[in-house]
Amino acid sequence: MSENLFNEFEPVSSKQWKQQIQYELKGADYNETLIWESPEGIKVKPFYHIDEFEKPLQVTTHTSQFKICQNIFVHDLDKSIARAKETLNRGAESIRFTIPNEQVDLEKLVNSLPLQSVPVYFYLNLLSIDFVKKLDSIAKAKNASFFVQLDPIGQLTKDGNWFTNLEKDFEALNTIAIACTNIHFLSVDSSLYQNAGANIVQQIAYTLGHANEYFNRVATISKPIVLQVSVGTNYFFEIAKLRAMRLLFNLIAKEYDHNLECHIIAAPTKRNKTLYDYNVNMLRTTTECMSAILGGADTVFNLAYDVLYHKDNEFGDRISRNQLLVLKHESYFDKVNNPADGAYYIEELTHQLAEKALALFKDIEAAGGFLTQLKEGIIQRKIQESAAKEQELFDNGKEVLLGTNKYPNKDDRMSHDLELYPFVKSNPRKTLITPIIEKRLAEKAEQLRLEDEKSNTGAE
């Protein structure tokens, strides 16, 4: 049928829509009733229309190619190998090994995996030239795709100290950049900013500032940089966040003649996860994984619903992996590239977040750069201010976590189920800078509930 069935209908303009909405409000103020402002200062309207729509942003996302990843902490080598094999057999498409020390036998770890078809991430809690060279030689020999997540600045932000010091850490990075050409070696861990309470504009700007320090200090970057991102529960904002982050990263990278797309690995945030009524965590992680996929993450790994209080376990892993498998194979999230294109609301959010984040990034650079502002404590203070505002909203019940500050189950008991300590631990020590600390919104409320629970049951 070549005829357009709707030609006989007059188009409705945004002005007409607004007039009709105002009429339906029966005297209530349009702006006060229907427009709300996000923590980033973005005013969200009740509708978005084509006649207010600017030229679409050039953000390319390869949603059809996103990988389902399983995170494995390598503590017992044989068990970690068995777990990697099992997860690959059960649907995982990539593996992310967290390597705690140089004693890990890399050859044994990777020899049993189908390396030609499985991207492997190595998150290192160390900075060793020889160790990374060993990974590079394995990748070359086996024609494998290795992403080695080296991030000395990330080490500084979360620990307060460099691996060694600024000069030696960047000297090691530059040596690795020249000697190791078969691996992706550089990473920016921006998940810390989200988990510590930074708002979305801050997350994007700090990620850019973080990456810009590497562009300035590492002479050769011949592979895509990995951006590790945490995704929150504000569904459309989080989709726009990833799109804005990719857009601005590409903009800044081109200034250094770096024409490679960033590689985004995303996971749900820990900030809104709860100890009580923990099954709700599955709902939160599902929407967060959806945002990550639609926002253009290249790889997504999920958090288990019981990650706060249980050690790694097969059941929790299987549920978290199955959530991603359902999204990919039953909800068909991998069938369309650039799925957010043409969505006026998401396009507008992407535009505003990118504009505000770029302005903040420029302010950071004008004030001496990201490392300078870390040393002066400005970044930490800004994140704490943002986190305090969000915490106040939670404490007042305006930021809702079901089962915790809204509709809590008074009969829920957790004190005997804790295999892990789910709260921030105080660790006073001498550091070069004040570290950025991850903290969940529900921690204070949960600690009070645990204390009441123990006093009522007589538990120690």
Side-chain angles (χ1 to χ4, degrees):
M1 184 179 291
S2 60
E3 295 182 12
N4 190 330
L5 297 178
F6 298 98
N7 280 342
E8 58 190 84
F9 294 96
E10 290 291 329
V12 181
S13 69
S14 61
K15 183 178 180 180
Q16 289 173 300
W17 274 114
K18 186 173 180 181
Q19 287 173 341
Q20 181 64 32
I21 292 170
Q22 286 178 320
Y23 171 76
E24 297 291 345
L25 286 174
K26 302 185 184 304
D29 185 87
Y30 176 87
N31 292 326
E32 291 183 3
T33 306
L34 297 179
I35 293 179
W36 60 275
E37 186 170 328
S38 77
E40 296 78 20
I42 295 175
K43 292 184 177 180
V44 180
K45 300 184 296 184
F47 71 97
Y48 291 79
H49 195 279
I50 190 170
D51 63 14
E52 299 173 341
F53 186 53
E54 298 180 3
K55 184 179 179 181
L57 297 168
Q58 299 302 308
V59 185
T60 302
T61 58
H62 304 288
T63 309
S64 64
Q65 301 172 26
F66 90 90
K67 301 292 186 184
I68 297 171
C69 186
Q70 182 72 54
N71 193 37
I72 297 176
F73 184 88
V74 181
H75 53 90
D76 181 299
L77 190 59
D78 291 331
K79 289 182 179 179
S80 297
I81 292 171
R83 188 177 170 203
K85 288 181 179 179
E86 179 70 10
T87 56
L88 289 172
N89 289 333
R90 287 175 172 259
E93 298 163 327
S94 63
I95 298 292
R96 181 173 177 266
F97 291 116
T98 298
I99 308 294
N101 54 60
E102 292 185 65
Q103 282 64 56
V104 174
D105 186 341
L106 293 173
E107 288 277 0
K108 184 177 179 180
L109 180 64
V110 300
N111 269 343
S112 57
L113 303 179
L115 297 179
Q116 283 70 33
S117 60
V118 177
V120 183
Y121 298 83
F122 295 89
Y123 185 84
L124 305 187
N125 291 326
L126 55 103
L127 180 58
S128 165
I129 296 173
D130 291 339
F131 194 79
V132 177
K133 281 183 176 180
K134 191 181 298 183
L135 280 168
D136 184 70
S137 64
I138 296 172
K140 182 179 180 181
K142 298 183 178 297
N143 192 28
S145 179
F146 283 1
F147 295 81
V148 182
Q149 293 185 254
L150 297 176
D151 186 11
I153 297 175
Q155 166 70 14
L156 175 69
T157 58
K158 68 183 178 184
D159 185 73
N161 291 311
W162 297 96
F163 287 108
T164 306
N165 57 51
L166 186 150
E167 291 76 18
K168 289 186 177 180
D169 281 9
F170 277 101
E171 183 181 331
L173 274 187
N174 277 286
T175 300
I176 289 167
I178 295 169
C180 303
T181 58
N182 302 291
I183 58 173
H184 302 69
F185 74 95
L186 198 54
S187 178
V188 172
D189 185 0
S190 73
S191 63
L192 175 66
Y193 311 132
Q194 202 283 340
N195 283 309
N199 66 42
I200 291 176
V201 168
Q202 290 172 332
Q203 292 169 46
I204 299 170
Y206 297 161
T207 302
L208 298 176
H210 192 147
N212 196 52
E213 293 289 349
Y214 288 130
F215 281 126
N216 280 314
R217 296 171 185 271
V218 180
T220 303
I221 306 176
S222 59
K223 296 282 188 179
I225 294 177
V226 174
L227 305 184
Q228 182 174 318
V229 182
S230 278
V231 179
T233 198
N234 194 342
Y235 186 69
F236 292 108
F237 272 71
E238 293 294 335
I239 295 172
K241 177 178 83 175
L242 267 63
R243 297 176 82 243
M245 193 176 290
R246 188 180 291 278
L247 178 73
L248 293 181
F249 177 90
N250 292 341
L251 180 68
I252 291 167
K254 285 178 181 177
E255 295 297 316
Y256 297 91
D257 295 322
H258 180 84
N259 297 313
L260 301 172
E261 286 268 346
C262 60
H263 183 92
I264 297 178
I265 178 169
T269 180
K270 291 181 182 177
R271 186 157 171 79
N272 64 354
K273 301 304 176 287
T274 55
L275 179 61
Y276 289 90
D277 212 351
Y278 48 76
N279 287 320
V280 181
N281 289 332
M282 283 189 277
L283 303 178
R284 298 179 182 123
T285 55
T286 298
T287 63
E288 288 156 5
C289 287
M290 290 165 67
S291 293
I293 297 165
L294 297 178
D298 298 282
T299 299
V300 182
F301 68 89
N302 198 4
L303 294 180
Y305 73 97
D306 58 352
V307 68
L308 297 181
Y309 66 95
H310 271 169
K311 296 177 181 177
D312 287 346
N313 62 90
E314 194 276 335
F315 184 77
D317 284 350
R318 182 165 61 87
I319 294 297
S320 64
R321 188 171 56 251
N322 284 350
Q323 289 173 260
L324 288 169
L325 288 168
V326 168
L327 290 176
K328 188 164 193 173
H329 299 297
E330 294 187 27
S331 302
Y332 308 113
F333 270 52
D334 64 333
K335 298 305 180 186
V336 179
N337 285 324
N338 305 315
D341 279 3
Y344 307 143
Y345 179 38
I346 296 175
E347 288 278 0
E348 178 64 19
L349 290 178
T350 304
H351 176 79
Q352 289 198 48
L353 289 174
E355 191 175 61
K356 290 175 180 291
L358 184 59
L360 179 54
F361 167 76
K362 289 178 178 178
D363 288 343
I364 293 169
E365 293 305 306
F370 187 72
L371 285 177
T372 297
Q373 293 221 321
L374 273 177
K375 185 177 180 181
E376 293 173 354
I378 296 172
I379 301 293
Q380 296 91 319
R381 177 170 55 81
K382 293 293 185 182
I383 292 177
Q384 287 172 355
E385 289 172 357
S386 176
K389 291 178 182 177
E390 189 180 19
Q391 188 68 55
E392 184 179 0
L393 290 174
F394 173 82
D395 293 343
N396 293 335
K398 295 179 180 178
E399 177 80 18
V400 174
L401 293 181
L402 290 177
T404 301
N405 70 338
K406 190 82 168 179
Y407 308 122
N409 179 3
K410 300 298 184 182
D411 296 325
D412 205 356
R413 298 287 182 267
M414 291 300 300
S415 58
H416 294 295
D417 293 321
L418 302 183
E419 297 175 358
L420 301 171
Y421 187 72
F423 310 116
V424 173
K425 293 181 180 179
S426 178
N427 184 23
R429 56 197 170 82
K430 186 176 181 180
T431 57
L432 186 65
I433 67 166
T434 302
I436 298 171
I437 306 297
E438 296 182 354
K439 187 176 182 181
R440 295 181 299 106
L441 286 169
E443 286 198 17
K444 182 180 177 181
E446 289 172 349
Q447 284 176 305
L448 292 174
R449 283 188 67 175
L450 279 174
E451 289 173 6
D452 289 342
E453 185 181 328
K454 289 178 181 179
S455 63
N456 291 334
T457 60
E460 295 183 0

